[in-house]
Amino acid sequence: MWAKFIIQKILILCFALSIVGCDNDHLEVIRADAHTFCEIHNPTNWKSYSENNSIEHLDQELSKRIESSLKTHEMKSVVAELSNIQFFKELYPAAKEKITALIQSEWNCEYYKMFYSITFTNEAYLPVTPAKDVSLEIRILDDHRLVLGNREALIAETNFRSVVGNITNTENLIVVTIETGVSESTVENILQELQSLKVANVRLVYL
C-alpha cells in the first residue's frame, strides 16, 4: 500500500513538473515571437520595398509579414490590440507595456519605436525643401488659428479631410510650421488628423 502511495506521489510530481516544463517552453516561444516582431520593423528588412508603394500597401505587407512570422496566439492578440491605437505616440509605450508583461521580462525595440515616429526638426537644421516636393503647408498660429496653404481658418472649424484629403499622393511632404506658444495638445490633434488620413511624410518646423 505504501509503495502504491509513493508511486502515485511520484507520478503526480512528474506530471506537475512536465506542466511547468511545457509552460517554460511556451514562454520561450512567446519571447522568440516578441524578438521576431521587433525585427520585422528593422529598416534593413525593408530595403527591397519600393518607395513608390502607398501607405495602404505598406500596411498590408506589414500585416502579412507579422501574420506569417508570429507563432503564438498571445503575441498575435497583442498585435491586434495595438492595431486599435490611433495615435502614433501611444504605440510604443503600449507595445512595451503589453509585451513586457507577456514575456515576463523587459521588452525594448528601437526599430518599432522608429517605425511609428515623426521626427521633430528645428528650423535651424531644416534643409531647404523644393516647393515642388511640398504638397501642403500648414502654419499653426496659436491654439485657435492656422493657415492652410494661403487661407486662414479657425482650428475648431477646419475640416482636414476636405483639404488634406484632396492630396492624391499621401507620400508627398506636408510641412507643419508651429509658431511660438502653440500647445503640444494642439499640435498632436493636428498630427492625429494627418495620421488618420495616412499622410506619410510630415516635417515639423518650430519657430
Side-chain angles (χ1 to χ4, degrees):
M1 167 137 181
W2 282 106
K4 183 178 179 182
F5 179 74
I6 291 170
I7 290 171
Q8 286 177 336
K9 282 285 191 181
I10 291 172
L11 288 174
I12 291 170
L13 178 60
C14 289
F15 179 69
L17 289 174
S18 69
I19 292 175
V20 171
C22 288
D23 285 346
N24 287 337
D25 288 345
H26 188 60
L27 179 58
E28 289 306 312
V29 177
I30 295 173
R31 286 174 174 170
D33 259 3
H35 176 74
T36 298
F37 181 65
C38 179
E39 282 297 321
I40 287 171
H41 297 84
N42 186 334
T44 61
N45 293 326
W46 293 89
K47 284 182 178 179
S48 61
Y49 191 79
S50 173
E51 293 181 358
N52 297 322
N53 285 320
S54 66
I55 291 297
E56 288 81 5
H57 189 278
L58 173 63
D59 287 342
Q60 292 168 7
E61 178 62 25
L62 182 62
S63 296
K64 280 170 50 181
R65 294 188 187 189
I66 290 173
E67 180 63 31
S68 63
S69 300
L70 299 187
K71 296 185 173 76
T72 63
H73 72 273
E74 289 92 341
M75 268 301 299
K76 289 181 179 181
S77 294
V78 167
V79 173
E81 291 174 21
L82 293 174
S83 68
N84 294 322
I85 296 176
Q86 297 296 316
F87 196 33
F88 73 97
K89 287 184 75 173
E90 298 171 4
L91 274 168
Y92 183 68
K96 182 176 172 64
E97 179 182 357
K98 292 176 184 296
I99 297 175
T100 293
L102 183 63
I103 66 176
Q104 299 173 29
S105 59
E106 192 76 12
W107 184 79
N108 297 292
C109 180
E110 284 300 314
Y111 298 142
Y112 185 85
K113 190 175 184 179
M114 289 187 296
F115 203 88
Y116 293 104
S117 65
I118 292 177
T119 301
F120 289 72
T121 309
N122 251 328
E123 187 186 30
Y125 303 101
L126 186 68
V128 175
T129 303
K132 63 181 179 61
D133 294 334
V134 179
S135 295
L136 178 68
E137 292 185 20
I138 301 173
R139 190 179 187 93
I140 310 177
L141 305 177
D142 53 38
D143 287 338
H144 307 287
R145 299 175 304 136
L146 53 72
V147 175
L148 283 165
N150 57 5
R151 179 174 65 84
E152 185 172 327
L154 293 176
I155 291 176
E157 298 174 3
T158 301
N159 187 342
F160 279 90
R161 294 183 180 276
S162 66
V163 179
V164 184
N166 291 329
I167 299 173
T168 55
N169 183 4
T170 53
E171 298 290 332
N172 288 350
L173 177 65
I174 290 182
V175 176
V176 181
T177 302
I178 303 153
E179 297 277 2
T180 302
V182 175
S183 67
E184 184 177 349
S185 62
T186 297
V187 178
E188 288 195 356
N189 288 339
I190 291 171
L191 290 179
Q192 189 164 10
E193 286 289 343
L194 295 174
Q195 172 91 355
S196 68
L197 290 164
K198 298 189 182 297
V199 173
N201 195 357
V202 178
R203 176 166 290 157
L204 299 184
V205 183
Y206 280 89
L207 298 181

